[in-house]
Amino acid sequence: MSRRDCLLAALVASIWGFNFVVIDWGMTGVPPLLFAAIRFTLVVVPAVFLLPRPDLPWRTLAGVGAFMSLGQFGFLYVAMDAGLPPGLAALVLQAQVLFTVAIAAGVLRERPTAAQLAGVGLGTAGLVVVGAGRGGDVPLAALVLCLLGALSWGCGNVLARASGARGGVALTVWSAVVVPVPLLALSLLVDGPDAVADGLAAFGWAAAASTAYTVVLASLVGYGVFTTLLGRNASAAVVPWVLLAPVVAMLSAALLLDEVPNAAEATGGVVMVLGVLVALRPPRRPTGLDAAAVVEPATAACAARP
């Protein structure tokens, strides 16, 4: 990657990392599912009228939206509302890489490499350490909800790969068409009409600024730049930059929210990040006639998107 592309990748990872603090800051007083519904309504409108629909069946767009946006962010927002700190949420969500490797092996019959198996083992060990050593203010249910969000993201990665869908802003927007109404319905069901009405009344300038950040910078600009980088660089050179996001999230949370991870969370986080890096390590390219048999692993196609 060129120096310019490295700087762009670092910028996108920083935008995505700070996004977790912004979500936590803006969601005060607004039910999490309602907050997510408002976000994705603004992701869709007016962009859906300006961007051409990707050349994919509606069922594929709906599936990608259901897993990558509805499931991932529905679980994430509820987890953060339930007490999961922004920095820890950003870290745990990166388990999507580990889930992607495992799901691709089972569903797509993509045989994992030795590095991927080792990475999944390391990452799982790191998650166990984080879960066992979480602070008293971090409910186990919140951690599990975030893991479900990572699992949903991993399912979306595999679905997108199996369909041959290309990443991009248009895919982000059009797949999100199926997201706002179910999120609003779930909020009405879980929180109740009165809580939704109170949340809309409490939607002030902080919630509006947070939503603007998540829609414009995190969703449209961030994903657009990241997809552009994937288009002109090897996936294995671009995707690891996303691991800066949890670092930025944790530093931002420590500086702005006074949320510092304990020793077990920090240690488990380091082990998990190492596992993800190992899983993302590209296989050695064989020489000679065997080069034609090389197949890129599933993780190289994963585009991270908080």
Side-chain angles (χ1 to χ4, degrees):
M1 290 175 63
S2 67
R3 180 179 298 178
R4 178 175 176 271
D5 283 357
C6 287
L7 290 174
L8 285 173
L11 175 62
V12 171
S14 299
I15 289 173
W16 285 344
F18 190 60
N19 185 47
F20 289 87
V21 174
V22 171
I23 292 170
D24 184 75
W25 171 61
M27 196 162 47
T28 304
V30 183
L33 295 172
L34 173 64
F35 199 51
I38 294 171
R39 169 183 177 172
F40 282 100
T41 298
L42 296 177
V43 167
V44 172
V45 180
V48 73
F49 300 109
L50 304 175
L51 297 172
R53 181 169 73 88
D55 187 20
L56 293 169
W58 271 111
R59 64 178 180 276
T60 300
L61 289 173
V64 171
F67 284 112
M68 281 192 169
S69 297
L70 176 59
Q72 179 192 169
F73 290 102
F75 283 122
L76 173 65
Y77 277 46
V78 174
M80 293 179 67
D81 184 68
L84 191 66
L88 194 57
L91 174 67
V92 173
L93 202 62
Q94 291 308 312
Q96 59 90 12
V97 175
L98 312 178
F99 285 127
T100 299
V101 173
I103 296 169
V107 176
L108 302 182
R109 300 293 188 267
E110 291 184 342
R111 184 177 179 182
T113 64
Q116 288 173 335
L117 290 174
V120 169
L122 270 176
T124 302
L127 283 172
V128 170
V129 173
V130 169
R134 70 189 190 284
D137 294 332
V138 181
L140 179 60
L143 190 65
V144 172
L145 285 167
C146 191
L147 279 173
L148 289 174
L151 175 61
S152 182
W153 188 356
C155 291
N157 284 335
V158 175
L159 177 61
R161 180 170 176 81
S163 68
R166 288 181 173 271
V169 178
L171 179 61
T172 300
V173 170
W174 279 91
S175 65
V177 169
V178 302
V179 177
V181 172
L183 283 175
L184 178 58
L186 285 171
S187 185
L188 288 168
L189 180 65
V190 174
D191 304 308
D194 291 341
V196 170
D198 291 342
L200 290 173
F203 197 89
W205 69 269
S210 173
T211 301
Y213 184 100
T214 59
V215 171
V216 177
L217 290 179
S219 294
L220 300 178
V221 174
Y223 197 52
V225 172
F226 191 78
T227 304
T228 300
L229 292 175
L230 285 173
R232 63 185 184 219
N233 297 282
S235 298
V238 178
V239 173
W241 283 94
V242 178
L243 294 179
L244 281 176
V247 177
V248 172
M250 287 184 163
L251 288 175
S252 301
L255 292 173
L256 300 177
L257 304 177
D258 198 27
E259 294 179 351
V260 180
N262 60 34
E265 291 170 350
T267 302
V270 169
V271 173
M272 182 187 156
V273 168
L274 286 175
V276 173
L277 281 172
V278 171
L280 287 172
R281 183 181 178 184
R284 290 184 177 181
R285 296 287 182 178
T287 58
L289 296 177
D290 291 338
V294 173
V295 178
E296 183 177 292
T299 51
C302 296
R305 180 171 55 98

